[in-house]
Amino acid sequence: MKLTELPNIGPVLADNLKKVGVETPEALRSLGAEEIWLRIRLQVDAGACLHQLQALAGAEAGVPKKELPPERKAALKSFFNSHK
């Protein structure tokens, strides 16, 4: 399976994932959305936003980001705000 076959992962995000060493869906699930987002923010895109973090979390869970549970969205927002 390719990264772009996961929900929420388009060509640009897939390219960012590869730039931080995430080549497979298994690697994405192993590292987790927060760790990958931090890597992207530090190494590739200093402006990585909350929507990208939510997209990664959705891909990790195998669902579109809009289907993430409210508790998960709140946790992601708190994580994001702690890294502004």
Side-chain angles (χ1 to χ4, degrees):
M1 176 182 260
K2 296 178 183 179
L3 288 168
T4 53
E5 293 176 48
L6 293 171
N8 315 308
I9 306 296
V12 172
L13 186 49
D15 188 51
N16 285 349
L17 287 166
K18 289 177 182 174
K19 287 178 181 175
V20 297
V22 179
E23 301 275 339
T24 65
E26 294 78 18
L28 186 147
R29 287 188 283 273
S30 175
L31 289 169
E34 290 90 344
E35 173 63 27
I36 294 169
W37 180 84
L38 281 174
R39 289 182 184 192
I40 289 172
R41 192 153 198 196
L42 293 172
Q43 299 173 28
V44 180
D45 179 5
C49 63
L50 175 61
H51 296 286
Q52 190 171 119
L53 176 58
Q54 291 173 334
L56 289 165
E60 178 185 0
V63 300
K65 67 181 184 177
K66 67 181 181 185
E67 292 180 16
L68 288 169
E71 307 82 35
R72 181 69 170 130
K73 286 182 181 179
L76 292 167
K77 187 171 186 177
S78 177
F79 178 84
F80 176 79
N81 286 335
S82 72
H83 290 87
K84 279 187 175 181

